[in-house]
Amino acid sequence: MVGSTAFLDIEHGKMGQCYELKSIIDAIPWNKDGLITAIAQDGQSKDVLMLAWINRDALLETLNTRQVCYWSRSRKCLWRKGESSGHRQKLIEARLDCDGDSILFLVEQTGPACHTNRPNCFYLGLNTQHATILTQPI
C-alpha cells in the first residue's frame, strides 16, 4: 500500500499495486467548485448512460453505500440518483481516469437513466445537417 500519491507516480505503478484511498482523493484535481465529472456506464451492456458531477462527499457516499450519488449544480446539494424517481444506480465498480479529473461508475441501472425517461441521456444524434432523436422514452 502506497501512502502519499501524485497521479504521475501512478502512471508507473504495476498492476495490482494499491494506494491509500485518502491519498488518492486528496490528489484529485477538483475544480474551483470542488467537482469532477462522473460518467455512468451500464455494467452489462456497456452503454454510456449519463454524465454528471461529483464532489468529495458524493464520491465517498457512493463508495460507502454502493448507491450512486452525484452533486447537483443547479440545486447545490447531493443528488442521490433515483431518490425521487426510483431509477437508481447500484455501483458495480468505480474507476478514476489517469489524470484524476474524471470518474467512471459502472452501474446496474434500474429504469431509465435520463430525466426524459429515455434509457440514457445521449439520445440526440448529430451530423453536419441535423440533430435526430434516437430513442423513445421508456
Side-chain angles (χ1 to χ4, degrees):
M1 179 90 59
V2 177
S4 178
T5 305
F7 282 97
L8 290 177
D9 297 337
I10 294 172
E11 289 180 3
H12 304 291
K14 304 267 188 268
M15 186 168 168
Q17 187 169 349
C18 293
Y19 298 85
E20 186 178 82
L21 181 61
K22 182 185 179 325
S23 69
I24 294 295
I25 290 175
D26 289 345
I28 290 174
W30 306 98
N31 72 12
K32 67 179 176 53
D33 297 319
L35 305 172
I36 61 170
T37 56
I39 300 162
Q41 182 180 34
D42 187 287
Q44 284 195 298
S45 71
K46 304 303 183 206
D47 288 342
V48 175
L49 302 174
M50 56 181 279
L51 179 136
W53 295 87
I54 61 165
N55 63 10
R56 179 184 299 258
D57 291 340
L59 176 56
L60 290 172
E61 181 174 319
T62 297
L63 295 174
N64 286 320
T65 66
R66 310 303 288 175
Q67 293 294 317
V68 180
C69 179
Y70 299 103
W71 176 258
S72 171
R73 294 182 301 163
S74 59
R75 294 179 293 229
K76 306 269 189 263
C77 64
L78 291 177
W79 162 39
R80 292 158 185 94
K81 180 70 174 155
E83 195 169 45
S84 59
S85 68
H87 302 156
R88 296 193 179 276
Q89 293 176 343
K90 180 181 177 187
L91 182 67
I92 297 170
E93 186 178 345
R95 299 179 182 182
L96 196 59
D97 81 343
C98 60
D99 296 323
D101 58 4
S102 184
I103 194 160
L104 174 66
F105 291 137
L106 298 173
V107 303
E108 181 182 304
Q109 176 70 46
T110 301
C114 186
H115 75 280
T116 65
N117 285 324
R118 287 180 169 83
N120 65 64
C121 295
F122 298 98
Y123 63 86
L124 196 58
L126 303 175
N127 65 33
T128 59
Q129 305 274 326
H130 302 98
T132 306
I133 294 176
L134 303 173
T135 61
Q136 293 282 51
I138 295 175

